């Protein structure tokens, strides 16, 4: 989608014009060229406002035909809600509603004002949210049908009312945030046979090449040298070679103060010998959602180049059953030297992350955020609305939660009381990989924490939020790219 700036909507060769109306302000202010458009349509908009058929309620959609009276085929009168409540979340949603409406109507070129709410000028944050909304809502997963349906993606978005450099910087940032998110979505939507650990590594290498990152892809021999017994054990049932994917972004002169982003990269999770039920097992192609979020964040970081150091680590493998597969009862030794008693081979994410977080520390990370589609239990606790979070450092998490407040991605903290650690004690090894039925997400997180030790750490369980069977405010059904925007928001704030 090309994005261009125009001084006037009605001069745009577009299929859809947009006018924004706040709730309870039928006399204005209006966002867009209401009076010109209204006049050409014989005052249709003002009459509908007067009769209260248009109320301005948030995301109210009223479509008017122009019958050749304007260059555009239709006009969208978009409800923006109350003026003084119009914030960045609202802008993002409005922008997405415009794109979704245009796509439904098969109108490929849109001209819209950029919204400023109660501000005099379009702020950086509003412009960023606007760009996020349009680019996130324009995402499409093409699929693999031999006869492809025609794409409904927009060709062009003409923006009017752009009044400052700050706002155009915001638009660029929002575009970068959305592109990283859309990359994560694309990876998660891709089936397991088409995104093997090797393919995932190649995708990471492309991101590295595009932005000049240092990269390193460890193969089985390297893993053996480092003693990464966790990743190797999980990979042992698979015909696909595992990869430990590493990207380094150095935004500071020295490689100190390094943020480690570690993402679970299980490209398909059968459960292994502790095999999963057949129903919905196909969805386990999404089990690399944490790794995808990390790579998506790196894509955005590469575009924005903040003055921070980041190391991205993605332990990538399939979790399969078979003659060579690891088994319940096995005891394995991780890179850290700590041993794990495997009681369930389906609790594999935490095992690969044990080596992932330890390797991130080895590469200099002194703060770590791990992301994983880790537990079914988090879906029971928080549904598909909220990402579960844990930490060993409340200050670190509260900074992160503030960023989630800005991006609108919902995150909720789970407790880490010592009592829970009792559940993952093993009689034959340092730690067991499952902790019984109760508090399944917490024991899973604490398991990873065992390998992080004292390094400030945040764990994000995105099992409920990474992939949705229904359309969302900001995108189609399927992969959401959740946490990419919050990770980047956090990372760029560290630079300030
Ligand atoms: N990949 C799954 C978790 C998952 C479940 C992700 C639903 C997305 C949606 C993970 O590897 C797993 O199987 N976890 C087990 C752990 C159990 C064996 C302790 C689970 O949650 O059932
Ligand atoms: Zn599993
Ligand atoms: Zn898994």
């Amino acid at each position: 989608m090309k994005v261009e700036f125009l001084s006037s909507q009605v001069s745009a060769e577009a299929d859809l014009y947009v006018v924004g109306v706040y709730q309870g302000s039928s006399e204005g202010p209006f966002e867009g060229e209401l009076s010109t458009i209204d006049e050409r349509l014989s005052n249709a908009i003002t009459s509908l406002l007067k009769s209260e058929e248009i109320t301005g309620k948030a995301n109210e959609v009223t479509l008017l035909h122009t019958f050749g009276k304007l260059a555009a085929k239709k006009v969208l009168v978009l409800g923006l809600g109350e003026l003084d409540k119009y914030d960045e979340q609202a802008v993002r949603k409005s922008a997405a509603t415009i794109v979704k409406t245009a796509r439904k109507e098969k109108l490929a070129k849109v001209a819209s004002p950029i919204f400023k709410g109660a501000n005099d000028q379009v702020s950086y944050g509003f412009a960023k949210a606007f760009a996020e909304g349009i680019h996130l809502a324009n995402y499409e997963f093409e699929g693999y049908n031999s006869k492809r349906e025609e794409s409904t993606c927009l060709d062009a978005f003409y923006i009017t009312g752009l009044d400052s450099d700050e706002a155009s910087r915001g638009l660029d940032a929002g575009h970068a945030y959305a592109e990283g998110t859309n990359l994560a979505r694309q990876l998660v939507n891709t089936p397991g046979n088409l995104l093997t650990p090797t393919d995932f590594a190649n995708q990471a290498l492309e991101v590295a090449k595009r932005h000049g990152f240092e990269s390193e892809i460890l193969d089985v021999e390297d893993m053996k040298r480092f003693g990464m017994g966790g990743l190797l054990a999980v990979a042992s049932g698979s015909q696909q070679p595992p990869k430990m994917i590493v990207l380094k972004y150095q935004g500071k002169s020295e490689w100190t103060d390094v943020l480690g982003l570690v993402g679970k990269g299980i490209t398909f999770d059968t459960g292994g010998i502790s095999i999963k039920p057949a129903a919905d097992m196909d969805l386990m192609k999404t089990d690399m959602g944490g790794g995808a979020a990390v790579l998506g964040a790196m894509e955005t970081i590469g575009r924005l180049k903040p003055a921070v150091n980041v190391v991205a680590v993605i332990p990538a493998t399939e979790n399969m059953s078979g003659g060579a597969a690891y088994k319940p009862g096995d005891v394995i030794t991780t890179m850290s030297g700590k041993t794990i008693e495997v009681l369930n081979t389906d609790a594999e994410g935490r095992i690969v992350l044990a080596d992932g977080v330890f390797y991130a520390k080895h590469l200099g990370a002194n703060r770590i955020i791990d992301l994983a589609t880790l537990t079914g239990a988090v879906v029971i606790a928080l549904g598909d609305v909220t990402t579960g979070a844990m930490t060993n450092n409340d200050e670190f998490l509260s900074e992160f939660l503030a960023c989630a407040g800005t991006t609108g991605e919902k995150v909720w903290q789970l407790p880490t009381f010592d009592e829970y650690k009792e559940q993952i004690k093993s009689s034959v090894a340092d730690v067991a990989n499952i902790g019984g039925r109760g508090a399944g997400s917490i024991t899973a997180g604490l398991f990873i924490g065992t390998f992080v030790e004292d390094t400030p750490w945040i764990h994000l369980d995105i099992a409920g939020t990474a992939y949705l069977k229904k359309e969302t405010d900001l995108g189609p059904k399927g992969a959401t790219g959740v946490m990419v925007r919050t990770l980047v928001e956090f990372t760029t704030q560290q630079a300030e």
Side-chain angles (χ1 to χ4, degrees):
M1 172 172 63
K2 86 176 171 202
V3 174
E4 283 176 10
F5 311 122
L6 292 180
S7 54
S8 149
Q9 249 178 307
V10 289
S11 63
E13 287 298 321
D15 306 312
L16 180 71
Y17 295 156
V18 179
V19 174
V21 186
Y22 293 100
Q23 194 165 4
S25 56
S26 54
E27 312 277 294
F30 302 113
E31 304 265 20
E33 293 158 54
L34 181 121
S35 60
T36 325
I37 294 172
D38 192 44
E39 260 167 44
R40 299 268 197 100
L41 298 181
S42 318
N43 306 321
I45 303 175
T46 40
S47 342
L48 290 168
L49 280 167
K50 210 173 277 165
S51 65
E52 291 181 9
E53 275 169 83
I54 294 177
T55 65
K57 215 173 102 219
N59 298 298
E60 174 189 64
V61 167
T62 310
L63 278 166
L64 303 173
H65 290 260
T66 63
F67 300 110
K69 303 232 171 81
L70 287 157
K73 288 192 197 80
K74 288 186 186 174
V75 171
L76 162 61
V77 185
L78 179 66
L80 301 176
E82 288 170 42
L83 178 64
D84 54 359
K85 291 202 183 125
Y86 200 69
D87 59 7
E88 286 173 24
Q89 316 299 357
V91 178
R92 198 178 288 114
K93 209 161 149 180
S94 302
T97 303
I98 294 169
V99 171
K100 286 210 244 175
T101 306
R103 288 181 63 170
K104 258 178 226 139
E105 295 288 318
K106 297 207 160 56
L107 300 170
K109 294 191 174 79
V110 176
S112 170
I114 183 162
F115 308 121
K116 53 178 187 283
N119 306 323
D120 295 335
Q121 282 200 318
V122 179
S123 66
Y124 173 88
F126 270 42
K128 172 167 163 278
F130 191 87
E132 283 176 20
I134 65 175
H135 291 288
L136 288 172
N138 204 37
Y139 172 76
E140 172 180 67
F141 182 65
E142 290 182 1
Y144 308 93
N145 300 50
S146 54
K147 278 200 196 116
R148 266 204 62 200
E149 266 181 43
E150 219 181 300
S151 164
T152 61
C153 290
L154 299 198
D155 296 335
F157 202 110
Y158 303 107
I159 300 180
T160 60
L162 194 78
D163 51 12
S164 68
D165 286 350
E166 199 189 323
S168 54
R169 278 194 300 111
L171 282 177
D172 289 342
H175 182 218
Y177 274 57
E179 288 299 316
T181 307
N182 288 340
L183 171 62
R185 288 171 168 182
Q186 191 63 23
L187 295 168
V188 172
N189 282 327
T190 303
N193 63 327
L194 302 179
L195 191 90
T196 63
T198 304
D199 298 322
F200 202 174
N202 289 336
Q203 291 277 340
L205 289 175
E206 271 184 39
V207 172
K209 201 164 101 195
R210 199 152 47 234
H211 302 296
F213 298 156
E214 216 182 290
S215 61
E216 181 184 38
I217 309 293
L218 304 190
D219 62 18
V220 167
E221 288 312 312
D222 301 316
M223 292 170 204
K224 284 186 181 154
R225 238 176 342 103
F226 282 115
M228 294 175 172
L231 179 53
L232 284 166
V234 174
S236 60
S238 174
Q239 302 280 330
Q240 293 292 339
K243 305 285 170 186
M244 182 67 95
I245 301 167
V246 179
L247 300 184
K248 286 187 201 169
Y249 165 68
Q250 184 164 351
K252 293 180 165 196
S253 51
E254 306 275 311
W255 187 249
T256 52
D257 210 1
V258 180
L259 176 65
L261 300 180
V262 184
K264 171 175 171 181
I266 301 295
T267 58
F268 195 81
D269 182 11
T270 66
I273 297 296
S274 315
I275 198 160
K276 286 181 178 296
D280 280 345
M281 201 204 274
D282 56 303
L283 295 180
M284 285 301 117
K285 71 173 184 183
T286 68
D287 211 19
M288 29 55 73
V294 168
L295 194 54
M298 292 306 280
E299 170 64 28
T300 305
I301 288 167
R303 287 168 183 245
L304 299 177
K305 303 232 174 338
V308 291
N309 294 330
V310 184
V311 62
V313 176
I314 305 169
T317 177
E318 293 181 332
N319 183 26
M320 304 291 282
S321 64
Y326 79 138
K327 304 172 292 298
D330 287 359
V331 174
I332 57 186
T333 305
T334 59
M335 183 184 171
S336 67
K338 288 196 169 81
T339 54
I340 299 171
E341 181 185 15
V342 178
L343 293 175
N344 188 316
T345 62
D346 196 11
E348 83 298 340
R350 62 198 80 180
I351 298 178
V352 302
L353 286 168
D355 282 332
V357 295
F358 196 83
Y359 194 53
K361 293 211 316 179
H362 172 81
L363 296 173
N366 55 355
R367 280 196 300 171
I368 291 180
I369 302 177
D370 87 72
L371 297 97
T373 47
L374 200 65
T375 64
V378 85
V379 191
I380 304 300
L382 302 174
D384 60 13
V385 176
T386 308
T387 293
M390 290 169 61
T391 189
N392 60 5
N393 185 311
D394 283 324
E395 206 180 309
F396 185 17
L397 182 61
S398 71
E399 280 176 54
F400 187 83
L401 292 179
C403 295
T406 305
T407 60
E409 296 192 302
K410 295 186 173 62
V411 180
W412 200 261
Q413 185 177 8
L414 303 172
T416 54
F417 302 117
D418 280 343
E419 285 86 338
Y420 292 115
K421 292 183 189 156
E422 298 295 319
Q423 290 178 232
I424 49 171
K425 281 203 168 141
S426 162
S427 55
V428 297
D430 296 327
V431 64
N433 84 324
I434 56 170
R437 265 175 59 80
S441 301
I442 295 172
T443 51
L446 286 172
F447 177 96
I448 298 167
T450 311
F451 298 87
V452 175
E453 296 184 316
D454 294 333
T455 305
W457 159 73
I458 297 170
H459 162 65
L460 299 167
D461 193 337
I462 58 171
T465 50
Y467 190 92
L468 269 57
K469 284 185 172 170
K470 55 176 196 270
E471 184 186 341
T472 66
D473 286 348
L474 300 177
K477 69 179 163 91
T480 59
V482 73
M483 287 299 120
V484 170
R485 290 184 298 114
T486 305
L487 284 176
V488 176
E489 189 70 23
F490 178 81
T491 307
T492 51
Q493 280 204 7
Q494 299 303 297
E496 284 157 11

